[in-house]
Amino acid sequence: MLDTAKLTGGHAIPTPDDGSPPVLEVRGLWAGYDHTPALQEINFQVAQGDIVGVIGPNGSGKSTLLKAILGLMPPWRGEVLLLGHAAASQQRRIGYMPQMERVDWDFPVTVDDVALMGRYARRGLLRRTTREDREAASAALDRVGMLPLRHRLIGELSGGQRRRALLARALANNPVLLLLDEPMAGLDATAQHQLLDIIADLQASGTTIVLCTHDLSCVSSCCVKALCLNRRQVAFGPPDAVLNETVLNETFGTHLLLVHGDGNAYAYGHHTHPDADHPHQTAASDGTEPSPRRK
Amino acid sequence: MLDSLWEPLGYAFMQRALVAALLASVACAVVGTFVILRGMAFMGEAIGHSSLAGMAVAYFLGGNVFWGALAWAVPASLGITFISRRAKLRLDTAIGIIFAGGFALGIILMSQVNNYTADLFGLLFGNVLAASWGEAALTGGMALGVLAAVAAFYKELLFTAYDADMAAASGIPVRLVQYFLPVLVAVTTVVALKTVGIVLVLALLVTPPATATLLARRLPGIMAASVAVAVVSVVAGLYLSFYADLPTGPSIVMVATGFFLLALLFSPSKGVWRRLQRSPPTETAAAGSGADR
């Protein structure tokens, strides 16, 4: 066991002093597909206004963790609590931004339509959306700076704009907790900064955020806590305490070179996971990325 | 000129055909929009072909082939969805099995009937000019039911078709919707059988919406354009059939196909003609969607 992991890895964290439940609490969580566990014994807590960066290689269970929090995957064991209640019953208070590849970008909907979808959950079956819903959707678009592009088709947007449209949808229902799956992947520096600014604004207004990423510099610069996953919880804690070479090597496999600069940690080299040949940190335009249809 | 427009409407068989074909094609145009967006064309084709089995059984027993088709198509659509979800089979594989199996069973049953060829021809290619008022009413009623269902669950159908994960995360009963859409496709297919027959059902389900995607941008606009193309195709097809003495179903399909080709060439945003005008090729590439960074 690692030194740093003693504090954090695999052990329940004591509740905060003021006695109020944390926004998100994950206790002894196991989850997986078929009979293969994708997550084993995950324990962490997120306080209001925190940004938690979940890092780990492909297949380390990052997306599974988000799905378990959203209630899309029933936990095998353990529980997920949102403000002290089972998260599966609190779905509507969680905003979720999926990975870009999961979205059909050829679908004939506008930015407006997508933001409004964030309000559908609020209206039951057979109900139409109301003026209040449209206003909330507009407000969400305004927060992410997409109001001027509201009548564009989603397929006509750049990578950064696509991301912000999905973020608006996640925000439209005024969520307590925001889950972002790979928000930075494939964005160029400008678009990344734009998104980071929005995330910082959200944090300032008290939104709690859990984001998955491959980008260590993003975690060390903008996250309050880092959760290192490799099917099990390798470490959880403040980035400068947790992101050291030992933890990262255990998280990502071997051959990771860590460079410290500007108070941030940067990782070079690639891990040995079989999916590692997918380029994730390239800044190339993703405007032409394929839009695979889901089954 | 006006006389030649009104004359066919004086015949009761043309009135019945118009009612049945119009309502069926409108239902197809609306449901078909989801079909092309979700890539379910092959499913519509399979449901149509395999329901020959249900029609043949009904025919054999002297019942209404329409109910026979419906009794086959709905379970078949549920079966395809179930097999592909549970057995981890690819959807097109599951569809292929039901498609061929049902069609083969239908042909075998039909071959036991005396005037095999004539009757089979009617089922395969439709004979809307021979529709009774009862059939027209039944077809029309079912079509209106399909349209009402889409209107009622539009929000859920749209969200699930666009992003099932997110829809599920928002508490929309995604699994239910994922079974509901194939059932809608099945009912719509059956509704259109009298008009265009088993073999050409796919044309009504796919061609008008495909044409519409070349003419409109947003989903509601696409649906409206799809309905317009379907209605004009049915009316024009029926007249073509009446005056040129051509089979009705194929005439309707040929008109719709003509509209598709026109849209493909002259669509204001996506037409081939516009693209050719926008040379040189480097600019054409830049004008393509999504690459504006």
Side-chain angles (χ1 to χ4, degrees), chain A residues 191-259:
Chain A
Q192 283 201 6
H193 277 293
Q194 253 173 341
L195 200 56
L196 283 173
D197 285 347
I198 294 168
I199 289 174
D201 277 353
L202 291 171
Q203 185 191 24
S205 64
T207 311
T208 310
I209 301 173
V210 174
L211 59 89
C212 289
T213 183
H214 284 77
D215 187 352
L216 285 176
S217 59
C218 162
V219 173
S220 52
S221 63
C222 79
C223 294
V224 180
K225 299 269 175 64
L227 174 66
C228 300
L229 273 190
N230 196 345
R231 289 174 186 262
R232 57 184 194 81
Q233 182 168 334
V234 179
F236 177 71
D240 43 2
V242 164
L243 297 184
N244 58 51
E245 211 170 320
T246 339
V247 168
L248 290 174
N249 281 341
E250 190 171 337
T251 305
F252 285 95
T254 54
H255 307 309
L256 198 73
L257 178 66
L258 201 66
V259 176

Side-chain angles (χ1 to χ4, degrees), chain A residues 72 91 96 102-104 107-108 110 113 117 120-121 123-124 126-127 154-156 158 169 188 286-287 293-294, chain B residues 37-38 151-152 155-156 158-159 161-166 168-171 217-219 222 289-290 292-293:
Chain A
L72 294 182
Q91 280 179 328
Y96 170 57
R102 303 284 300 166
V103 178
D104 179 359
F107 208 85
T110 59
D113 294 331
M117 283 179 202
Y120 280 6
R123 307 284 156 236
L126 302 175
R127 292 285 191 74
I154 51 166
E156 299 167 354
S158 72
R169 181 177 67 180
D188 62 22
D286 57 350
R293 286 176 185 267
R294 299 172 308 281
Chain B
L37 289 175
R38 295 300 304 132
K155 193 158 63 46
E156 286 73 22
L158 166 64
F159 203 171
Y162 171 56
D163 187 346
D165 275 358
M166 181 64 201
S170 312
R217 301 169 79 233
R218 277 181 72 220
L219 189 59
I222 291 176
S289 62
D292 56 331
R293 199 119 66 82

Side-chain angles (χ1 to χ4, degrees), chain A residues 18-57:
Chain A
D18 62 0
S20 62
V23 169
L24 176 67
E25 181 171 9
V26 175
R27 269 197 224 150
L29 176 70
W30 286 64
Y33 304 88
D34 295 326
H35 298 286
T36 320
L39 289 174
Q40 304 171 18
E41 193 62 28
I42 308 298
N43 286 288
F44 67 95
Q45 287 185 0
V46 187
Q48 203 209 335
D50 274 3
I51 301 186
V52 174
V54 183
I55 55 169

Side-chain angles (χ1 to χ4, degrees), chain A residues 62-142:
Chain A
K62 297 191 298 292
S63 292
T64 308
L65 177 63
L66 294 195
K67 281 188 180 159
I69 296 173
L70 276 168
L72 294 182
M73 280 184 76
W76 290 1
R77 238 190 270 169
E79 55 186 352
V80 179
L81 302 173
L82 189 80
L83 291 168
H85 303 280
S89 67
Q90 304 287 311
Q91 280 179 328
R92 285 161 201 196
R93 304 174 75 182
I94 306 177
Y96 170 57
M97 188 175 103
Q99 278 181 41
M100 302 308 274
E101 307 87 75
R102 303 284 300 166
V103 178
D104 179 359
W105 295 105
D106 291 330
F107 208 85
V109 283
T110 59
V111 171
D112 235 358
D113 294 331
V114 169
L116 195 57
M117 283 179 202
R119 301 287 295 186
Y120 280 6
R122 210 165 258 250
R123 307 284 156 236
L125 289 172
L126 302 175
R127 292 285 191 74
R128 301 211 165 263
T129 47
T130 63
R131 183 199 191 94
E132 185 197 346
D133 292 326
R134 286 188 289 278
E135 280 167 4
S138 298
L141 286 172
D142 197 28

